[in-house]
Amino acid sequence: MHAWSEDEDWAEVGSRREQEVREALIRAVEETPPQLKGRDLLKADWIDTPIGAMLAVGDRHALHLVEFFDRKALPGELARLRKAARSAIAFGRSAAIDGIEAELAAYFAGRSPVFTTPLAMHGSEFTRQVWQGLRRIPAGICLSYATLAGRLERPSAFRAVARANGANPFAIVVPCHRLVGSDGALTGYGGGIWRKRWLIDHEKRWSGSPEPSA
């Protein structure tokens, strides 16, 4: 790892760090077991957004993951995805990636908060219920973890809701950023609290809601 010196510009250091993360993700994606070579593998590609690059993984039928590339947990997510999908990942394009790129462009342009690209949800039944519950929260509205647990008829399971929320591999598309603390505080977000605030502020145009509400 390159050590930073006082003579270097912080922007240069940040750019080099970004390149290092990209290279690490490329290695993680291309670790294809020999027995899977030649199969119809999952495809991965970068999607640029106003708040940072994202990595999307999909096949001909569905999107399996879309995450900000600088999320620390992303290499682990890719490893779990390979295991859950019983496949490997190679760089390339798929219909699902093309679809989500177009929908994300519309989202960031303020044209539409709706995502219709099919999702391949790898998780327990409860985890999938949480993710579907998140998708039912309208853009511009925030709920507390406890409120979502109540909506799922599991009022005491707010901690399990929080864990499922943190395990969500579909940033923005499954809007885990719309969950806040019971006091309205912006709690942890894998993409960074600054992105969570940006997304909530961006979505106010679709609801007219002045502040997040629990």
Side-chain angles (χ1 to χ4, degrees):
M1 181 67 69
H2 181 92
W4 177 75
S5 71
E6 294 183 357
D7 295 331
E8 292 178 296
D9 183 81
W10 279 110
E12 180 182 345
V13 173
S15 177
R16 183 165 55 246
R17 172 58 180 159
E18 177 177 325
Q19 184 60 34
E20 290 172 352
V21 173
R22 282 180 181 263
E23 290 173 356
L25 287 178
I26 289 170
R27 289 194 297 272
V29 166
E30 293 182 338
E31 287 176 355
T32 304
Q35 67 271 23
L36 294 178
K37 290 186 182 295
R39 287 182 52 181
D40 188 14
L41 308 180
L42 297 174
K43 296 295 194 294
D45 205 358
W46 305 106
I47 295 177
D48 290 322
T49 82
I51 56 174
M54 303 182 80
L55 183 71
V57 180
D59 56 25
R60 290 174 293 175
H61 309 291
L63 186 73
H64 290 251
L65 176 147
V66 59
E67 275 285 13
F68 291 104
F69 92 94
D70 55 359
R71 177 177 164 90
K72 292 181 180 179
L74 184 51
E77 286 186 280
L78 292 172
R80 288 191 294 275
L81 174 56
R82 284 196 298 266
K83 183 176 180 180
R86 297 180 180 180
S87 184
I89 309 169
F91 277 99
R93 276 276 162 165
S94 71
I97 294 175
D98 290 338
I100 204 60
E101 183 175 45
E103 290 181 335
L104 283 169
Y107 171 88
F108 281 107
R111 295 194 301 271
S112 173
V114 177
F115 296 96
T116 61
T117 299
L119 305 181
M121 294 186 173
H122 303 286
S124 68
E125 181 179 354
F126 178 75
T127 296
R128 294 194 301 271
Q129 288 175 356
V130 171
W131 295 346
Q132 295 290 7
L134 290 168
R135 301 195 81 189
R136 288 191 287 270
I137 303 173
I141 301 297
C142 292
L143 301 179
S144 69
Y145 298 92
T147 299
L148 182 56
R151 289 189 174 188
L152 297 174
E153 300 183 349
R154 297 280 298 274
S156 64
F158 57 91
R159 290 188 178 86
V161 166
R163 286 193 295 271
N165 191 63
N168 167 38
F170 303 102
I172 303 178
V173 180
V174 173
C176 53
H177 59 275
R178 295 177 194 161
L179 286 193
V180 298
S182 57
D183 59 354
L186 301 188
T187 53
Y189 182 64
I193 291 295
W194 72 271
R195 282 196 179 107
K196 185 167 185 169
R197 167 55 69 186
W198 193 100
L199 293 168
I200 290 173
D201 288 344
H202 177 66
E203 293 179 356
K204 288 177 183 176
R205 72 183 65 202
W206 286 299
S207 74
S209 176
E211 293 293 338
S213 58

